[in-house]
Amino acid sequence: MSNIKDLNTSFKTMRTISLACIIGFVVLAVSAGYGFYKVTQDAGRRVYVVTNSGSAAALAVEEDTHTPFEARNMVKGFMKTMFGHDQYTFKQNLDAALPLIEGAGGRRIFENFNRGQVLQNYQRYSARSVLDVDSIYLDMKTRPFSGRVYTKQRIFIGDQQRQSLPMAAKFNLVETDRSDENPYGLLITDFDYIAYNPPVSREEKEFLQQQEAERQRRLRDAAAGAGVAPPPGYSTPAPADGSPAAPGAVPPNQ
């Protein structure tokens, strides 16, 4: 009986040792496999920077990021090439601008050009248009990014400049692959015209209010010097939104 018990004990011990070895080998194999995966993944993302002192390895950035500076430059370049041209640069500028906007939006703008006979008028009157971007407002906190752009379009017929035309639009920006035609990796979508009403900063509001107050003071001084009281209601209150009243406006009840 003693020999049988010793044999059972030895068998259980050997079985425990075998199971422990098997579990250890499995853990070792999984760890080695994961380590190999990480090494190959990092190797695929590794780039080499060559300098005068030699070459150094670096890891590529995992996610492509877009900055407001890059997005603003993209929108500015699109607007200036899409809406600024003459008979010689018309096709060239459109070829540069159309890859930056979704197909439906680009076709809509191009069809408007065709209906307005823009190219024909360039050729007929030796005309050209120049677009000046006043301001661009972006919201890049959520995707897709969104924004508004405010511009002035100047039309020249020969050497004569016609009155500048304000133009504004709203749009979204979606991320896409970078290419030679679109190096920004951003695509304009939902492009639509809006009223030209750019936001006024606090500094601009304060300057306009001071300017209006100074104008009203000069009017009062001039009226007092002439011995004539200014007409009642001439000095208009500022609108409810905080912007100054338009010069020469009259109150609603006048």
Side-chain angles (χ1 to χ4, degrees), residues 240-254:
D241 61 358
S243 59
V250 295
N253 59 352
Q254 295 297 315

Side-chain angles (χ1 to χ4, degrees), residues 79-90:
M79 295 297 294
K80 291 176 76 70
T81 53
M82 192 71 185
F83 298 97
H85 25 59
D86 56 22
Q87 59 177 313
Y88 305 106
T89 60
F90 183 75

Side-chain angles (χ1 to χ4, degrees), residues 55-71:
S55 60
L59 292 179
V61 179
E62 291 185 358
E63 183 179 358
D64 190 13
T65 57
H66 295 91
T67 64
F69 174 79
E70 183 179 28

Side-chain angles (χ1 to χ4, degrees), residues 85-213:
H85 25 59
D86 56 22
Q87 59 177 313
Y88 305 106
T89 60
F90 183 75
K91 183 180 183 302
Q92 175 184 345
N93 285 11
L94 291 190
D95 288 343
L98 287 175
L100 305 180
I101 187 172
E102 62 174 337
R107 284 192 299 272
R108 186 167 61 250
I109 297 175
F110 183 72
E111 289 170 359
N112 288 339
F113 288 162
N114 284 338
R115 283 195 296 268
Q117 297 185 340
V118 172
L119 179 58
Q120 292 84 344
N121 288 332
Y122 284 160
Q123 297 168 341
R124 186 179 298 118
Y125 302 110
S126 297
R128 60 188 174 94
S129 62
V130 177
L131 194 83
D132 299 318
V133 177
D134 294 343
S135 56
I136 300 173
Y137 298 88
L138 295 174
D139 180 5
M140 302 185 68
K141 296 179 182 178
T142 59
R143 287 178 168 82
F145 308 141
S146 61
R148 292 163 294 159
V149 57
Y150 298 91
T151 67
K152 295 281 181 55
Q153 190 177 37
R154 293 179 291 147
I155 307 297
F156 292 85
I157 298 181
D159 295 333
Q160 301 297 320
Q161 177 182 340
R162 300 182 62 183
Q163 184 178 3
S164 297
L165 303 175
M167 181 175 63
K170 64 179 181 178
F171 56 87
N172 289 336
L173 292 175
V174 299
E175 295 165 290
T176 186
D177 295 331
R178 298 178 188 266
S179 63
D180 291 338
E181 293 76 18
N182 185 349
Y184 300 97
L186 294 169
L187 188 68
I188 297 174
T189 65
D190 303 312
F191 184 90
D192 196 12
Y193 300 103
I194 60 175
Y196 186 91
N197 187 22
V200 181
S201 65
R202 181 174 59 83
E203 292 78 8
E204 290 174 320
K205 286 183 179 180
E206 291 177 353
F207 173 77
L208 291 175
Q209 288 172 350
Q210 293 174 359
Q211 191 178 51
E212 176 63 13

